[in-house]
Each structure stands twice: as C-alpha cells, then as structure tokens.
Amino acid sequence: MFYPGKPVMDVGSADFPNARSAMNSPLAKSLYAIDGVTRVFFGSDFVTVTKSEEATWDFLKPEIFAAIMDFYSSGNLLFLDSNAAAAMDTAIHEDDSETVAMIKELLETRIRPAVQDDGGDIVYCGFDEETGIVKLKMQGACSGCPSSSVTLKSGIENMLMHYVPEVKGVEQELDDDEEESNLTGQME
C-alpha cells in the first residue's frame, strides 16, 4: 500500500485488474507501465499495487513512488471520465427493499472500512431474496489474497447474518480470470 499524503478517491474505490482496464486513469496507466506491476487499486487515501512473483519490491518501490508523486504534481485528474470515479454499488435506491438497504448500509459503514484498512475493497453485486444469498466481489489486495475467503465467510457473512436475518449466506463473485469457487454458507 502506498499513501500519497492526499485523498485518492473521494467516494468508493477503483480496481484495475489489468492494463487494459487502466486506460481511463492516467495514474493507473503510468503504474502499469512499470515492469512487474500486475494489479492497481485505488482506495480513499491509498494506492495498492500488486507485483508479479519475479519482481522485487527493492526495484518497484522507488518506481511506484516516483509515478505517484509525478502524477500528483502534474495536476491531472485521476480519471479521464468522471463518471468512472465513484463506486456507487452501496448507494441506496428508492426501489431497494428494506433488506437490501440494510445490507448496503452495513457494507458501507462497517465492512468496507475494515476491508480498505487491508488495502482492498468489497463491491455489492446483488441479493437473491429467495435464497438469501448476498453476492460480493473482493477488490485490490483482497482479490487475490488467500485469506479473502476466510474474511468473506467468517467476518462479512457472520456480520450480515447477525444484523440482517434474511441473509442466509454470502457468495464471492469472481473475475473471469479468477478460478471458480463456491463460498456459499447455509444457516443451520
């Protein structure tokens, strides 16, 4: 995690799992230009960079710091398209049910800050009222982390099931390039 000493994202977060997805952000694009960078993620006041196994932090850290400082001194916008900046997954809409509104509020106020402390984020993807399953996606440092499934099951699922009785389990939505795994938990 890199802290530029200035706010990075005003609202939400942004995940760039590959160089193609970074084309809309001058900062993410310049970080992907550094050999060995495999993923870039923006949080509220930090930038998380994931490296390839071959790359060393001794080489990458000064390059990444330089790219971040160059970006902030340039005065460029974080995104070329301002609509891409805000993660609005937890915005509560008029047509959301009471259950969905409670899930989104918990994600935004309790769960997201804890996950962001570890250099990642969590995105709400939906709730199936019939099965009681909440679909979430891990981003940033959390997306490839082996303990993300434990975080999802023991932390997030337990909290949602405790505060929202309609929730029966949590499933992780995966990127196309991530292996398929079913993390559904059923309440006994």
Side-chain angles (χ1 to χ4, degrees):
M1 286 174 60
F2 297 86
Y3 295 91
K6 298 178 179 192
V8 178
M9 295 285 294
D10 293 329
V11 178
S13 62
D15 189 29
F16 305 95
N18 55 50
R20 189 170 22 96
S21 65
M23 290 302 157
N24 199 31
S25 170
L27 176 56
K29 192 174 172 184
S30 69
L31 290 170
Y32 266 108
I34 300 169
D35 194 33
V37 170
T38 60
R39 192 175 197 124
V40 175
F41 177 81
F42 299 155
S44 58
D45 65 345
F46 62 89
V47 175
T48 299
V49 175
T50 307
K51 69 172 188 67
S52 65
E53 286 186 32
E54 304 82 42
T56 65
W57 285 116
D58 291 340
F59 167 76
L60 285 176
K61 274 185 183 178
E63 296 281 328
I64 293 167
F65 275 125
I68 291 171
M69 292 306 120
D70 288 349
F71 169 77
Y72 278 100
S73 63
S74 75
N76 287 337
L77 294 175
L78 192 59
F79 294 95
L80 301 175
D81 173 10
S82 60
N83 293 335
M88 300 306 291
D89 61 302
T90 53
I92 297 173
H93 305 289
E94 279 184 39
D95 59 346
D96 284 344
S97 69
E98 181 77 21
T99 302
V100 169
M102 287 177 14
I103 291 167
K104 287 180 173 182
E105 185 175 343
L106 272 172
L107 286 170
E108 187 62 34
T109 60
R110 293 274 187 88
I111 296 168
R112 179 168 274 155
V115 175
Q116 286 180 338
D117 282 347
D118 288 334
D121 200 4
I122 191 155
V123 176
Y124 172 80
C125 298
F127 174 66
D128 185 327
E129 306 254 353
E130 287 181 26
T131 62
I133 300 298
V134 177
K135 293 190 184 281
L136 302 171
K137 184 174 184 178
M138 304 296 273
Q139 291 186 324
C142 297
S143 69
C145 175
S147 64
S148 68
S149 60
V150 175
T151 300
L152 202 63
K153 296 301 290 173
S154 62
I156 298 166
E157 182 178 82
N158 288 346
M159 181 181 281
L160 287 173
M161 288 169 54
H162 177 77
Y163 287 105
V164 186
E166 294 84 354
V167 173
K168 305 296 182 214
V170 173
E171 280 184 6
Q172 184 171 2
E173 291 282 300
L174 299 170
D175 288 333
D176 294 339
D177 58 346
E178 293 175 318
E179 70 177 350
E180 202 66 40
S181 67
N182 185 1
L183 303 174
T184 307
Q186 299 298 326
M187 207 159 116
E188 309 274 331

PDB file of all heavy atoms in Angstrom, residues 38 57 62 89-90 93 149 152 161:
ATOM      1  N   THR A  38       1.182  -5.990 -11.634  1.00  0.00           N
ATOM      2  CA  THR A  38       0.140  -6.876 -12.160  1.00  0.00           C
ATOM      3  C   THR A  38      -1.270  -6.428 -11.808  1.00  0.00           C
ATOM      4  O   THR A  38      -2.235  -6.931 -12.381  1.00  0.00           O
ATOM      5  CB  THR A  38       0.326  -8.320 -11.650  1.00  0.00           C
ATOM      6  OG1 THR A  38       0.263  -8.307 -10.222  1.00  0.00           O
ATOM      7  CG2 THR A  38       1.647  -8.897 -12.120  1.00  0.00           C
ATOM      8  N   TRP A  57      10.390  -5.851  -4.584  1.00  0.00           N
ATOM      9  CA  TRP A  57       9.960  -4.555  -4.053  1.00  0.00           C
ATOM     10  C   TRP A  57      11.111  -3.557  -4.032  1.00  0.00           C
ATOM     11  O   TRP A  57      10.887  -2.356  -4.157  1.00  0.00           O
ATOM     12  CB  TRP A  57       9.352  -4.709  -2.654  1.00  0.00           C
ATOM     13  CG  TRP A  57       7.977  -5.300  -2.700  1.00  0.00           C
ATOM     14  CD1 TRP A  57       7.572  -6.496  -2.176  1.00  0.00           C
ATOM     15  CD2 TRP A  57       6.805  -4.735  -3.317  1.00  0.00           C
ATOM     16  NE1 TRP A  57       6.234  -6.706  -2.434  1.00  0.00           N
ATOM     17  CE2 TRP A  57       5.751  -5.638  -3.123  1.00  0.00           C
ATOM     18  CE3 TRP A  57       6.561  -3.551  -4.029  1.00  0.00           C
ATOM     19  CZ2 TRP A  57       4.461  -5.393  -3.602  1.00  0.00           C
ATOM     20  CZ3 TRP A  57       5.272  -3.321  -4.500  1.00  0.00           C
ATOM     21  CH2 TRP A  57       4.246  -4.232  -4.286  1.00  0.00           C
ATOM     22  N   PRO A  62      10.703   2.389  -5.426  1.00  0.00           N
ATOM     23  CA  PRO A  62      11.060   3.735  -5.879  1.00  0.00           C
ATOM     24  C   PRO A  62      10.365   4.127  -7.187  1.00  0.00           C
ATOM     25  O   PRO A  62       9.980   5.288  -7.363  1.00  0.00           O
ATOM     26  CB  PRO A  62      12.578   3.690  -6.066  1.00  0.00           C
ATOM     27  CG  PRO A  62      13.011   2.293  -5.819  1.00  0.00           C
ATOM     28  CD  PRO A  62      11.861   1.515  -5.284  1.00  0.00           C
ATOM     29  N   ASP A  89     -21.964   1.164  -5.782  1.00  0.00           N
ATOM     30  CA  ASP A  89     -22.595  -0.115  -5.511  1.00  0.00           C
ATOM     31  C   ASP A  89     -23.426  -0.112  -4.235  1.00  0.00           C
ATOM     32  O   ASP A  89     -24.400  -0.828  -4.129  1.00  0.00           O
ATOM     33  CB  ASP A  89     -21.535  -1.221  -5.436  1.00  0.00           C
ATOM     34  CG  ASP A  89     -20.530  -0.981  -4.320  1.00  0.00           C
ATOM     35  OD1 ASP A  89     -19.881   0.085  -4.341  1.00  0.00           O
ATOM     36  OD2 ASP A  89     -20.392  -1.849  -3.442  1.00  0.00           O
ATOM     37  N   THR A  90     -23.063   0.715  -3.251  1.00  0.00           N
ATOM     38  CA  THR A  90     -23.797   0.716  -1.987  1.00  0.00           C
ATOM     39  C   THR A  90     -24.739   1.911  -1.847  1.00  0.00           C
ATOM     40  O   THR A  90     -25.283   2.136  -0.775  1.00  0.00           O
ATOM     41  CB  THR A  90     -22.832   0.669  -0.782  1.00  0.00           C
ATOM     42  OG1 THR A  90     -21.877   1.718  -0.925  1.00  0.00           O
ATOM     43  CG2 THR A  90     -22.136  -0.675  -0.691  1.00  0.00           C
ATOM     44  N   HIS A  93     -31.145   2.956  -3.304  1.00  0.00           N
ATOM     45  CA  HIS A  93     -32.100   3.457  -4.289  1.00  0.00           C
ATOM     46  C   HIS A  93     -33.523   3.292  -3.775  1.00  0.00           C
ATOM     47  O   HIS A  93     -33.786   2.447  -2.918  1.00  0.00           O
ATOM     48  CB  HIS A  93     -31.931   2.704  -5.615  1.00  0.00           C
ATOM     49  CG  HIS A  93     -30.531   2.755  -6.147  1.00  0.00           C
ATOM     50  ND1 HIS A  93     -29.968   3.899  -6.660  1.00  0.00           N
ATOM     51  CD2 HIS A  93     -29.566   1.804  -6.217  1.00  0.00           C
ATOM     52  CE1 HIS A  93     -28.726   3.653  -7.031  1.00  0.00           C
ATOM     53  NE2 HIS A  93     -28.455   2.385  -6.770  1.00  0.00           N
ATOM     54  N   SER A 149     -11.308 -15.556   1.306  1.00  0.00           N
ATOM     55  CA  SER A 149     -12.483 -16.410   1.504  1.00  0.00           C
ATOM     56  C   SER A 149     -12.804 -16.554   2.982  1.00  0.00           C
ATOM     57  O   SER A 149     -13.973 -16.629   3.371  1.00  0.00           O
ATOM     58  CB  SER A 149     -12.288 -17.779   0.860  1.00  0.00           C
ATOM     59  OG  SER A 149     -11.187 -18.445   1.417  1.00  0.00           O
ATOM     60  N   LEU A 152     -14.433 -13.336   3.945  1.00  0.00           N
ATOM     61  CA  LEU A 152     -15.792 -13.329   3.431  1.00  0.00           C
ATOM     62  C   LEU A 152     -16.704 -14.184   4.298  1.00  0.00           C
ATOM     63  O   LEU A 152     -17.792 -13.756   4.667  1.00  0.00           O
ATOM     64  CB  LEU A 152     -15.780 -13.860   1.996  1.00  0.00           C
ATOM     65  CG  LEU A 152     -16.939 -13.491   1.099  1.00  0.00           C
ATOM     66  CD1 LEU A 152     -16.996 -11.986   0.889  1.00  0.00           C
ATOM     67  CD2 LEU A 152     -16.797 -14.173  -0.252  1.00  0.00           C
ATOM     68  N   MET A 161     -25.387 -11.861   8.503  1.00  0.00           N
ATOM     69  CA  MET A 161     -26.400 -12.780   9.011  1.00  0.00           C
ATOM     70  C   MET A 161     -26.870 -12.366  10.401  1.00  0.00           C
ATOM     71  O   MET A 161     -28.039 -12.558  10.745  1.00  0.00           O
ATOM     72  CB  MET A 161     -25.863 -14.218   9.011  1.00  0.00           C
ATOM     73  CG  MET A 161     -25.757 -14.796   7.611  1.00  0.00           C
ATOM     74  SD  MET A 161     -24.849 -16.360   7.472  1.00  0.00           S
ATOM     75  CE  MET A 161     -25.684 -17.406   8.637  1.00  0.00           C
TER      76      MET A 161
END
